[in-house]
Amino acid sequence: MAMIDYRHMTPAEKLTLIGEIWESIEADAIPLTEAQAAEIKRRLETLDDDIQHGIDADALEAELDRRFP
C-alpha cells in the first residue's frame, strides 16, 4: 500500500485530503453500529414534530449573532 507523505501539507490541505478520502468511501461500505441505527430511527420518529418546533438557518444565524456578538 502506498503511503502518502502529508508532513509537508498545510492544515487546510490535510483537511481537503481527508474530505476527498471520506467522499471516496461507498455509503454501504461501513455498516452502522446498533447504536447508530437506533439513533437514526429515534430521530426519524420525531422528525415531523421537530420540524414544527425548529427555525430556519437565517433565523438561527440571527439568534446566534444576537447572543454572541
Side-chain angles (χ1 to χ4, degrees):
M1 180 166 135
M3 297 298 291
I4 298 172
D5 183 8
Y6 57 85
R7 292 172 291 181
H8 66 283
M9 298 171 76
T10 66
E13 291 169 330
K14 291 175 184 176
L15 288 172
T16 298
L17 177 61
I18 290 167
E20 289 176 7
I21 293 169
W22 183 262
E23 292 297 321
S24 74
I25 299 172
E26 297 294 326
D28 59 353
I30 302 171
L32 296 176
T33 66
E34 287 184 31
Q36 290 167 327
E39 179 62 14
I40 289 172
K41 182 179 178 187
R42 183 193 69 76
R43 290 182 185 198
L44 287 172
E45 289 170 350
T46 64
L47 180 63
D48 291 334
D49 188 52
D50 292 344
I51 287 173
Q52 292 178 11
H53 293 69
I55 60 174
D56 66 33
D58 292 333
L60 174 60
E61 185 174 359
E63 177 67 16
L64 291 172
D65 287 343
R66 185 184 68 75
R67 288 186 185 197
F68 306 101

